Amino acid sequence: MKTISTLTFFILLNVLLHPAKAQETMEEGKITYEITYPDMEMDDQMKAVMPTESFVYVKGPLSRTETVMGMGISSATIMNAKTNEVIALMNMMGTKTATVMQDKESAKNRDKSGDDEFTFILVDETKMIAGVLCKKAVMKSSDGTEFEMYYTETIDSKSQFSKQWRKFKGFPMEYIVTSAGFTMKMTAKTISKEKLSEDLFKIPADYTIMTQDEFTKMMGGQ
């Protein structure tokens, strides 16, 4: 497995969890996911750190994917479909940093981590998730890695971080994915229409803006 920087890991984690999308009849609102770890043995210390929920906020072409971990660690990825700008926010026990990237830099990160575009195989199977009837698909990468996903066509994509997902028009409601050695099961719990503050999609004033190289150096090169 190729080594990736801490910042890249959190960006990819947010992207893999939620390739930011919005409901077709809801241009502004919030989607909540439950995160579980099937077939993974974790001690109490690891359980205290691993996230159990993730939240996606959507407002037109903007989206924010937010994940809160234990020990004062949280991350958020803000995406703008019009400008292709990606903002990665990190709060590590009070040290708050922001990294701004354009689409070409996002592609560079995917190349470093070995990610590529997925192909999708549709399966004749359905399941009710969060009150929505979902269809089944199998996602497969060029190296043969694959995982199952349940999706709905009633939610339309408005903002996406990665070209990996652009060929697929459905919205993922439940799936299992392995990232950096962790197997995570994502299950949508609620989809709620609500007004959102534009501040959710901006860099907070108390965050320090860094380049990815500067962030990597701050983390000791990891």
Side-chain angles (χ1 to χ4, degrees), residues 28-174:
E28 189 171 2
K30 176 183 176 182
I31 302 162
T32 302
Y33 284 80
E34 178 185 21
I35 307 175
T36 56
Y37 304 89
D39 303 322
M40 283 190 66
E41 294 185 4
M42 296 187 287
D43 57 26
D44 291 339
Q45 184 177 5
M46 183 175 291
K47 287 179 181 179
V49 175
M50 301 304 290
T52 57
E53 284 187 319
S54 189
F55 310 95
V56 176
Y57 302 88
V58 293
K59 189 180 180 74
L62 301 172
S63 68
R64 174 188 174 112
T65 301
E66 189 175 284
T67 305
V68 178
M69 306 178 74
M71 299 178 65
I73 301 174
S74 64
S75 66
T77 303
I78 300 170
M79 311 169 196
N80 187 321
K82 287 186 177 180
T83 64
N84 290 322
E85 183 180 76
V86 180
I87 300 172
L89 302 178
M90 286 292 302
N91 182 350
M92 303 193 72
M93 295 174 285
T95 300
K96 301 177 181 180
T97 62
T99 302
V100 181
M101 294 182 293
Q102 297 297 327
D103 188 63
K104 61 181 180 180
E105 294 174 279
S106 304
K108 186 177 179 181
N109 283 334
R110 293 194 298 272
D111 292 340
K112 286 183 177 180
S113 63
D115 288 343
D116 52 22
E117 289 191 9
F118 290 104
T119 57
F120 303 90
I121 303 171
L122 304 184
V123 180
D124 186 17
E125 188 175 328
T126 60
K127 182 178 182 180
M128 291 294 295
I129 302 172
V132 177
L133 182 63
C134 302
K135 298 179 181 180
K136 184 177 180 180
V138 175
M139 297 181 65
K140 187 173 183 180
S141 64
S142 61
D143 66 0
T145 302
E146 62 180 54
F147 60 90
E148 296 179 352
M149 173 178 65
Y150 284 91
Y151 68 96
T152 175
E153 295 176 336
T154 63
I155 300 178
D156 188 25
S157 172
K158 290 293 180 74
S159 173
Q160 294 189 20
F161 168 84
S162 174
K163 291 181 180 178
Q164 296 168 297
W165 293 80
R166 291 179 183 173
K167 291 181 180 179
F168 188 71
K169 301 305 179 183
F171 173 75
M173 294 286 283
E174 180 181 278

Side-chain angles (χ1 to χ4, degrees), residues 13 17 19 60 161 180 190 199:
L13 177 62
L17 298 188
F161 168 84
T190 60
D199 290 340

